[in-house]
Amino acid sequence: MKQNYTYKKGKGGKPKIFVLDTNIILHDHKAIWHFADNDLVIPLAVIEELDKFKKGNDSLSYNARGFMRDINKLTDRREFGPEGIPLGNGLGSISIVPNHQFPEEFKDLFVDDIPDHRILATAMWVRDQHPDRFTAIVSMDINLRLKAKSAGMPAQDYLSDKVEDDTLENSLKEVVTIDNADPERVQALLYGQDNCIDYHEVSEKEPWANQLYKFNWEGETVCARYDTDRNVIALVRSREAYGIRPRNDEQKFALDACLNRKIQLVSLTGGAGTGKTLIALAAALEQEKDFDQIILTRPTVVLGGQDIGFLPGDQKSKMSPYIQPLMDNLDVIRRCFKPGSKQALKIDSMIKEEKLLVSPLAYIRGRSLGKVYMIVDEAQNLTPHEVKTIITRAGEGTKMVFTGDIFQIDQPYLDQWSNGLSHLGEKMLGQRLFQHVFLRKGERSELSDIAAKLL
């Protein structure tokens, strides 16, 4: 992980000072523990903003409350002195300082009395109070960072949970393509009695758990996956799930992962129309007898940071605008069968009996999900902490599939490096219970595929 601000000393070998913006805490309430022995400053304007988020069930409210609990515990029977309060062994100190005005030369530049300006002004005051130490403002807000830099104030992004560029690139190239293997021998083994080959046939070292392979010969591609339990590279066949068949090799890998009961956590990434959600949903319906419930959910990204509670109606009505894409995929599967067929009636029955349930993510926290097949759509709009919160709800017999496009993010303080879906792929790589598949080719329509590539 990138952590370029956490370990290097500042001027004269002294610890650095980092002034934290509100969005850092709302993104990760444990952020104050990620700055090694450097000192932290929280402007009072940040506390004022956090107070607006302390009520609610969404992740912002959860992080605001978590941070305030930690600060309250740190300050129990202690006061903030000139040096702040120590965070612990090997860590720096933390201070909460009152808001301060801009220096005279900047008062006419930042005239609006808004939280960002109060935080920036306080950061500049802290810098001026410690001329012998490096001081920077840390924010996930690009605009605030640009304002700070325009005023000569060092500004940095929060990097502690961002994946490296090369890690992100590796996640796009997780399939090993083999062109020089002996076709007769490999085909004989893969299509033989055991449908597998020893990994030493194609690799000197043991592959990652669930490493994917493509064997290319003249006009033919054979897909395979490294099976950690058997210590072999096993054939991945083209399978059908509830009327849905893979249209390309990546979809074949994805469906195989979603149908494999040994793989309990799956990450499917790719652009619009690549079939991520459709494949996950078809696999869930195919295995519905093995699970007590199928849960479909996605983040409720709304304007102004408002919770779905402000919308009229009951839970179903509130969620309706957000779940429509999931229902569209369900309609695609339903159209694979004739109206009134056994499969179509089964889908309707599962919805009516709530065995197939659409639920807001806000109601997942605190639950224990046993023997559930859970699909989290648009997971790129989740923070790493939110992804962790969801996965830690998994009980015995539960399978979770996260789908999303890391290049299409609707949350203002997340990007392709810091979102929960990228974080999941980096942290879980090599675990035998996890598999990631990047779907490259759009299959929605020729028009959709061309638009995704060119526009």
Side-chain angles (χ1 to χ4, degrees), residues 125-139:
W125 178 86
V126 171
R127 177 199 60 188
D128 295 340
Q129 295 299 306
H130 301 86
D132 60 334
R133 298 174 65 182
F134 173 84
T135 303
I137 186 170
V138 182
S139 175

Side-chain angles (χ1 to χ4, degrees), residues 349-396:
S349 174
M350 290 174 65
I351 295 175
K352 184 177 180 180
E353 297 172 3
E354 293 193 342
K355 180 164 186 178
L356 179 59
L357 177 67
V358 180
S359 176
L361 271 176
Y363 298 133
I364 298 301
R365 184 178 288 115
R367 292 188 59 187
S368 180
L369 304 172
K371 210 172 181 183
V372 167
Y373 194 112
M374 185 171 182
I375 301 172
V376 183
D377 197 26
E378 301 292 344
Q380 78 278 3
N381 287 320
L382 297 172
T383 66
H385 180 76
E386 287 172 323
V387 168
K388 178 181 178 179
T389 299
I390 296 168
I391 297 175
T392 53
R393 298 300 94 206
E396 288 294 328

Side-chain angles (χ1 to χ4, degrees), residues 45-56 61 64 115 118:
V46 169
I47 303 299
E48 294 169 346
E49 282 201 287
L50 290 176
D51 190 59
K52 302 174 184 177
F53 290 93
K54 64 184 180 182
K55 296 180 180 179
S61 301
R118 294 197 290 270

Side-chain angles (χ1 to χ4, degrees), residues 149-219:
K149 292 176 181 178
S150 71
M153 178 74 200
Q156 298 183 8
D157 194 0
Y158 180 60
L159 305 175
S160 71
D161 59 2
K162 289 199 171 200
V163 301
E164 295 280 11
D165 285 337
D166 56 354
T167 301
L168 190 63
E169 287 298 316
N170 288 339
S171 72
L172 305 182
K173 303 173 182 177
E174 77 282 355
V175 180
V176 175
T177 302
I178 298 177
D179 299 311
N180 56 359
D182 182 348
E184 292 186 2
R185 176 171 176 76
V186 172
Q187 285 192 32
L189 291 171
L190 284 177
Y191 290 111
Q193 182 178 357
D194 298 325
N195 298 127
C196 64
I197 61 173
D198 190 291
Y199 75 83
H200 292 97
E201 297 275 351
V202 297
S203 176
E204 294 182 359
K205 60 180 181 179
E206 185 175 356
W208 291 107
N210 300 312
Q211 173 69 64
L212 303 177
Y213 289 89
K214 283 186 183 181
F215 295 91
N216 292 330
W217 296 292
E218 296 181 4

Side-chain angles (χ1 to χ4, degrees), residues 258 265-268 280 373-377 399-403:
C258 290
L265 180 62
V266 179
S267 167
L268 304 181
Y373 194 112
M374 185 171 182
I375 301 172
V376 183
D377 197 26
K399 185 181 183 102
M400 292 188 171
V401 181
F402 289 78
T403 69

